[in-house]
Amino acid sequence: MKAKLVTQKALETLKSNTQKALNRSLDRHIKLAVTGFSGSGKTAFITALVKHLTSQATKQNLPFFDVVREGRLIAAKQVPQRALDIPTFDYQAASACLLADEPTWPASTQRINTLTLALKFNCESGLRSHLSPTSTVYLELIDYPGEWLADLPMLSQDYQAWSEATLELLQRDAYKSYSDSFLSLLATFDPNEKVDEQALKNLAQSYQQLLTTLKNETKLAQLQPGRMLIPSDLAGAPILQFFPVKPLKEITEHTQYQQLQARFEAYKQQVVMPFYKQHFCQFDRQLVLVDVLSALNDGPDTLQEQQEALAHVMQVFNYGKSGFLKRLFYPKIDKVLFAANKCDHVTPSQQADIALLLNDMLGEQSNDLRFAGVSVESMAISSVQSTQAKLVNDAGEQLECVYGKVLGEQQWTTYLPPQPPNHCLSAQQWPDHGFEFLSFYPQKARQGNLNHVRLDHALQFLIGDKLV
Ligand code: GDP
């Protein structure tokens, strides 16, 4: 009898140890990078994701998220994060804005943030279900300022290539009027002179001012160096005091040019590289939020620029082609979702068009990504709903409109959005009066519940396969 008990106990211990070892070997941590250029909706997305998973995970609310539709999600809750050196995403403050009586959008991402959700669920089948009927997956959400994402392409450029590309961008029609004062100051600067700290500082300040203006006034995504917009502890440091200059035929020692070149390289090595090595390479999945409607509002230059910026960001995955990035780091991301966000600024039947437009913007790059083994998807979403669809009878004709409270106004408005294009338009194809899509306040939560558009589709693509 005693021997039998001992054997049974030993067996149980063995089973428990095997279970622990196997559970450890099954990937139970998912690092999801929520990325996108500034203002693309990262803060609102994370807030909505946490809200829907922790308190609104019903079949009616998330019907396309398998673990929820199949009734297998037991519960989700925020747990302490593993990375102790990264500030925690302030979910309470952000959700309070969206859930207020007069809802407002939470403040945008200004620094890197993280938050971990533990998702406890009943296993569907497979290895896990034999070991234990339930499992817990830790979803680490990482949100970092869009400006930092824009720095990525700098890694593949030297100072001269960066200068040329940046000056070309600043002289485009859409940005020229903003760049004029910096460019005329630059015309008085002699890069061949010996180093004059004050002159470098003044021009760097003027360049920083220009980047800030471009950020506020346009939708230009490639604002480099990104840290100039959010310098934090680098404010005033020479590593951030550089700017583009016209290429020189010959570079002489101890000149201003050489100093700028050295600062540019130091910025890449000491600021950009560690960030990508520490964070970017650790991600498993990536969401790229794109605000295509604002780009359309801004005009053809901005749409083209956003397309270029996306292409640059995607190149990081293209390690098959790009030897230098392969040497630097090897991203392990195997799924990327490109989401045309804020899709409820247009009618439900127009939403497919903005997903097609985004797809067209991604062009061959998404094909290359697939070739490199990354699974890619694009869709139109709105993580927080800000309008309702409304049919309006106009002299017998049924018009599909949206209804919401326009940002900065007090009144609720019924509005007929312009038809968005479903592919990229050249400047010649651009409509004479351009596009004018409106922005809205978030919809008021009903009984504490937020609404979304296709957040469940996004979740299924990004993490559904890990919750089986
Ligand atoms: P971030 O800079 O990427 O963190 O962007 P935010 O999350 O702060 O969003 C910027 C702005 O985009 C917000 O103030 C809203 O006006 C709008 N926005 C963000 N998310 C959504 C969304 O899901 N739906 C709609 N309709 N608008 C959104």
Side-chain angles (χ1 to χ4, degrees), residues 81-315:
Q81 67 207 44
R82 286 200 295 189
L84 301 179
D85 54 341
I86 304 180
T88 308
F89 181 87
D90 194 350
Y91 170 70
Q92 294 307 336
S95 58
C97 294
L98 295 174
L99 296 171
D101 281 343
E102 292 288 330
T104 52
W105 294 103
S108 278
T109 310
Q110 292 294 317
R111 55 174 197 191
I112 186 161
N113 285 300
T114 187
L115 180 148
T116 302
L117 276 187
L119 306 175
K120 191 170 185 189
F121 60 99
N122 286 316
C123 302
E124 185 187 53
S125 58
L127 195 50
R128 269 200 194 114
S129 68
H130 290 294
L131 298 167
S132 152
T134 65
S135 188
T136 305
V137 155
Y138 295 88
L139 176 64
E140 293 180 41
L141 301 161
I142 302 120
D143 162 35
Y144 60 92
E147 287 79 3
W148 299 6
L149 187 70
D151 278 349
L152 183 61
M154 293 172 82
L155 289 177
S156 62
Q157 292 169 312
D158 61 16
Y159 178 58
Q160 177 167 333
W162 175 77
S163 284
E164 281 180 74
T166 307
L167 290 175
E168 186 272 319
L169 195 65
L170 296 179
Q171 285 166 35
R172 287 190 196 169
D173 285 349
Y175 316 118
K176 207 172 169 313
S177 61
Y178 302 106
S179 316
D180 271 351
S181 76
F182 166 73
L183 292 175
S184 38
L185 205 59
L186 188 65
T188 65
F189 174 78
D190 184 355
N192 273 318
E193 282 286 311
K194 67 177 190 336
V195 180
D196 174 349
E197 286 288 349
Q198 195 55 43
L200 293 176
K201 192 172 165 192
N202 291 346
L203 257 159
Q205 261 170 8
S206 166
Y207 182 62
Q208 180 177 25
Q209 191 55 51
L210 168 60
L211 292 186
T212 312
T213 310
L214 287 169
K215 182 185 166 183
N216 295 336
E217 305 294 330
T218 72
K219 280 278 157 190
L220 182 61
Q222 296 170 94
L223 298 166
Q224 298 162 340
R227 296 298 158 105
M228 258 195 184
L229 292 160
I230 310 177
S232 345
D233 49 347
L234 292 179
I239 201 166
L240 260 194
Q241 289 174 348
F242 64 90
F243 45 86
V245 297
K246 289 213 176 79
L248 292 184
K249 283 204 181 75
E250 215 173 293
I251 301 160
T252 0
E253 298 250 302
H254 312 301
T255 55
Q256 315 234 55
Y257 189 93
Q258 212 195 22
Q259 180 64 219
L260 289 168
Q261 194 177 32
R263 291 179 184 184
F264 176 85
E265 288 302 328
Y267 180 78
K268 274 167 53 180
Q269 299 300 327
Q270 293 169 38
V271 181
V272 187
M273 200 100 87
F275 171 70
Y276 285 105
K277 274 194 171 162
Q278 197 187 342
H279 301 293
F280 212 84
C281 299
Q282 310 303 324
F283 299 146
D284 303 295
R285 303 280 156 97
Q286 188 180 9
L287 168 69
V288 184
L289 293 168
V290 188
D291 187 357
V292 283
L293 295 174
S294 296
L296 285 172
N297 279 351
D298 238 32
D301 281 341
T302 297
L303 194 72
Q304 186 196 335
E305 194 270 334
Q306 291 257 331
Q307 194 177 358
E308 289 165 9
L310 278 173
H312 287 142
V313 171
M314 282 196 281
Q315 271 164 12

Side-chain angles (χ1 to χ4, degrees), residues 36-45 105-110 143 146 289 291 341-345 381-387 407 439-441:
F37 299 115
S38 182
S40 56
K42 298 179 291 295
T43 310
F45 177 88
W105 294 103
S108 278
T109 310
Q110 292 294 317
D143 162 35
L289 293 168
D291 187 357
N341 199 13
K342 317 180 191 179
C343 72
D344 60 340
H345 292 177
I381 68 162
S382 187
S383 37
V384 179
Q385 206 170 328
S386 66
T387 68
L407 272 188
S439 295
F440 300 85
Y441 285 104

Side-chain angles (χ1 to χ4, degrees), residues 333-375:
I333 295 176
D334 59 353
K335 277 189 165 199
V336 184
L337 175 63
F338 291 92
N341 199 13
K342 317 180 191 179
C343 72
D344 60 340
H345 292 177
V346 295
T347 66
S349 60
Q350 294 171 328
Q351 289 171 10
D353 291 322
I354 62 168
L356 288 170
L357 171 62
L358 176 60
N359 214 28
D360 194 37
M361 286 168 76
L362 300 174
E364 279 177 21
Q365 299 281 342
S366 62
N367 190 45
D368 290 349
L369 270 183
R370 287 191 187 98
F371 195 80
V374 181
S375 165

Side-chain angles (χ1 to χ4, degrees), residues 58-77:
T58 61
K59 290 177 197 179
Q60 295 71 26
N61 185 38
L62 301 172
F64 286 91
F65 191 29
D66 288 356
V67 71
V68 173
R69 191 193 56 247
E70 291 161 7
R72 292 189 292 106
L73 185 69
I74 299 167
K77 71 170 193 161

